[in-house]
Each structure stands twice: as C-alpha cells, then as structure tokens.
Amino acid sequence: MSNKNKQDPRLPDETFEPYEEPRLIPLPVYWIAIALAIWGVVTLVQTSNAGHFADKERAALGEKTASVASPAASTAAPDTGAGKALFADNCSSCHGDAGEGVADAIPPLHASDVIKAGGASAISQIVMRGIGGPLIVDKANYDGEMPSFSSVLSDTEIAAIADYVATDLNGMNSTVSPDQVAEIRTASEDMDPWDGGAGLASLINGLPPQPASENASAPSPEATATASLASQGTANIWSCASCHGDKGEGTQTVPRLAGLAPAYLAKQLHDFSKGTRISDSMAYVAKSLSETQITELANYYGAMSSPSGAQPALKGDLARGEKLALSGDYSKNVPACFTCHGTSGIGVGAQFPGLAAQQPAYIAHQLAMWAGGARHNSPLGLMAGIGKALSDEDRRAVADYLASLPPAAGNAKTALAVSPTPKETTNVQ
C-alpha cells in the first residue's frame, strides 16, 4: 500500500530556510579601497606640513613687520589712530572735531601758530596743567579756561593726543614719548594752570607776541587771611579744609569747591545760613561768617585750581551717564546736564555749578535729595523734576561719568566785589 502523504524527495523540507550563497568581493574593489586610503593619508600629511610651514612663514613675516614698525626705526611714522580717538573723546567737544576751534571763544588747534612753535612737547605741557587767561592764536584774541587733564589721562594717552595734534592737525614731525610726559608730570605736580599767553611765552621759544599777565604778583593781606581761614579756621569756625580737603577737592559726600564760580559758592553759603538749603554743619559755619568772609572765601575757592580728587565709585553705567550728560533722555523729560551746566560740565554763573570732577557720592546724594524734596534751592525747581525722573541707576551712572571728567580751572576774573556791610561782626549761633 502506498503512502500518499509522503513528501516528494525532490522538494525541499518544510523547515528549509532559503539563503544566498556568500559571494567573494572582487579583487579590483579591494585595490581601489587601498589606493583611496593611501591617497588620504598622503594628503593629510602634506596638508599638515603645509600649514606648519605657512605658520612659520607668517611668524617670520610678523617679526619682520614688527621690526619695521618698531619705534627704534627712525623712518617709522607715529601711529596716531589712538590719539585721534582720544582727541574725539576729550578735546573735540570744545575744539571741534577737526580742531577748528570756536571763533572768539576757543582757539583752534588745526594749523595753529602756537602749536607749530611749541610742538608735541608743549601740547603735553598744556594738557597736563591746563591754561587760563588771555592768549593770541593766529592773530586772534582768546580769553578762556582749559582744565588740566592730568588726573583723567595717563602719560600714554597724553602723549598720543599730543602726537595726533602735532602730526595730523599741524603736519609737524614732532612727537613726545610717554616717558617724556611722565617727566613733565613730575615736574609740574601741584603747579597752577599756565597763565595764558604770558605763561606759554616762558615755555615756547618763538611764540607770537602775547598779552601781558593779569595775575597779581603777590597775594594781598586779605587773600592771605582768607587762605588762613580756609585752611586753619578760627576759634569759632572749623576750617573748610577739614572737610573739603586742602586743595578743595572734596571727598565722598563732601563736594569739591575748587574752581566753582564764586557767585554760586556765595549763594550756597547764604542759602545754608537762611535755611533754604539744609545741612546742620554748614548752617553753623555759614551763620558764623560775615558777609566779607563769605565773599572772600567764595573768591578764594573760585580762583583755586587743583587736580581731580574724584573717580567713578558707584558702579554706574558710564555709557548711560555720558548720554545723560551730553544728550539727556527726553523719554523721561530729562535735558542734557551740559545744556545748563556748560560745556564739559564746567559750570555757568551763580545758578549752575561745575559738575566736572565732582565727587560721585555727593552728586548722587544731591539728586536723591532733590527727588525727595529735601533740597529745593535750584532755579525754577528744575532739579526737583530731573531728580524725580532719574532712576537710582541713572543717578549712579551720571555721577560716575561726571567724576571721570577733568576739573574746571580756577578763574580769578570771576571774583565777586567785596562790599562790607554794617553787620561785620561774626555771628556764632
């Protein structure tokens, strides 16, 4: 009997899994792969060597370039790019972007006969000490005040500005090194600003004829007595210097007095005495002074020039402070500080004091007092509105920026006339 269910032996078993027989990779494929690998390795090595040699060539070229640009090379022209930027930041606001000056107000620095006679060294002397008084430049008369920048610019920065003014603005082959400026700084320490053209005549040979000095040859007895009052005080009045510094530079929340307009200083003393400006210590001092003493002290500090004793200390945003000082912020109805307080914050008359080089903590504190109503003796109440509009960050920013500026030079020509009144007795309360 046959078995019909028996599987045909010619067919694969039911559990059979089909598969593909392995095939060998053709030898040409191996050869191509090996050739590509060898080519890649060779290329990598060549590229690495080329980069190495290129680096060596660039280093050698850099050394050669540095050697050519070295100050020791007598034919190398000075790099005045830094000087141009420093000039724009510190000088152009008064002298103009191209050093053109302002007619009848601020002398030009471009193509100036004074600068051409003195060169970069004389420029450094003027920047270091400042200058005030009558001066003739290019046959035109000027009579103003330029502050000393010694406290806000380094020796290297002053040298860069001097080189730029002499070389770029006047086409001179005249430069000064930072080491030479350092020697000028040492020699001129604690010196007053140059006395106009008469002072420069002692510095610069071949200077065009200049006006005679207007400074008194010797201090008057009254001036000597006032200096003693300021530095030593009296039996009833402590000295101004004990709080405001020997040079009127101020400290922390005590303001700078040196170079402020006498009319402003006298007004503040009167306001302290009347109680329209609040300070217990200053009220006591002001009430103890006679009218003559108030006038003479105001004149004494108004004529005083001293280096800045201030520096940014409130961690304010200097860029924001500069914007507020130069342009204001009209989104907050805040005008530029310099609109009222004068170019570079040097002050204008009795109502708008100099702000440049003022102690930052003092400025920020006064702004807060105006905002809070504790101080209210500004003209037309202007500062009350400004103080309220500024945030704490704005107050710190503008205070720190003003502290970074050079101080205004003292000016004896703004002195108030002394008019003794019948009440000349010292009134101690």
Side-chain angles (χ1 to χ4, degrees), residues 241-310:
S242 62
C243 294
H244 295 276
D246 294 335
K247 300 176 182 178
E249 70 275 18
T251 178
Q252 297 183 0
T253 57
V254 180
R256 176 186 178 87
L257 302 182
L260 295 181
Y264 172 78
L265 292 171
K267 178 183 182 302
Q268 300 311 303
L269 286 171
H270 285 128
D271 286 353
F272 282 126
S273 179
K274 293 183 294 184
T276 52
R277 183 173 176 181
I278 307 301
S279 170
D280 291 341
S281 57
M282 283 306 305
Y284 172 81
V285 171
K287 291 177 181 179
S288 301
L289 296 171
S290 68
E291 285 298 318
T292 298
Q293 288 174 320
I294 287 176
T295 302
E296 289 179 342
L297 280 172
N299 289 341
Y300 173 76
Y301 281 107
M304 179 181 288
S305 295
S306 70
S308 173

Side-chain angles (χ1 to χ4, degrees), residues 28 48 69 82 87 102 114 121 154 218 249 322 326 358 389 395:
S48 176
F87 181 91
V102 179
V114 171
S121 177
S154 68
E249 70 275 18
E322 181 179 22
L326 297 178
Q358 189 55 270
R395 293 169 193 152

Side-chain angles (χ1 to χ4, degrees), residues 86-146:
L86 288 164
F87 181 91
D89 290 341
N90 297 278
C91 313
S92 62
S93 60
C94 292
H95 290 282
D97 293 337
E100 67 274 17
V102 179
D104 301 322
I106 300 173
L109 301 179
H110 173 70
S112 163
D113 56 358
V114 171
I115 288 175
K116 288 185 176 180
S121 177
I123 299 168
S124 299
Q125 294 270 9
I126 297 170
V127 174
M128 185 69 72
R129 287 177 54 180
I131 183 171
L135 173 68
I136 296 176
V137 179
D138 297 334
K139 299 181 180 180
N141 292 294
Y142 299 90
D143 192 355
E145 305 292 331
M146 171 183 161

Side-chain angles (χ1 to χ4, degrees), residues 71 76-87 91 109 115 118-125 127 155-181 184:
D79 178 11
T80 55
K84 182 177 182 180
L86 288 164
F87 181 91
C91 313
L109 301 179
I115 288 175
S121 177
I123 299 168
S124 299
Q125 294 270 9
V127 174
D155 297 337
T156 300
E157 290 170 331
I158 291 176
I161 289 174
D163 288 354
Y164 170 73
V165 173
T167 304
D168 284 34
L169 298 187
N170 289 275
M172 302 176 68
N173 183 20
S174 175
T175 61
V176 62
S177 71
D179 288 342
Q180 290 172 314
V181 176
I184 293 172

Side-chain angles (χ1 to χ4, degrees), residues 151-233:
S151 57
V152 295
L153 293 176
S154 68
D155 297 337
T156 300
E157 290 170 331
I158 291 176
I161 289 174
D163 288 354
Y164 170 73
V165 173
T167 304
D168 284 34
L169 298 187
N170 289 275
M172 302 176 68
N173 183 20
S174 175
T175 61
V176 62
S177 71
D179 288 342
Q180 290 172 314
V181 176
E183 293 176 359
I184 293 172
R185 184 186 295 275
T186 300
S188 61
E189 188 176 7
D190 294 332
M191 286 187 175
D192 290 333
W194 291 99
D195 181 19
L200 292 185
S202 65
L203 170 68
I204 303 173
N205 293 325
L207 193 69
Q210 295 294 323
S213 171
E214 294 183 353
N215 287 346
S217 57
S220 65
E222 292 79 9
T224 302
T226 302
S228 176
L229 174 62
S231 62
Q232 301 177 25

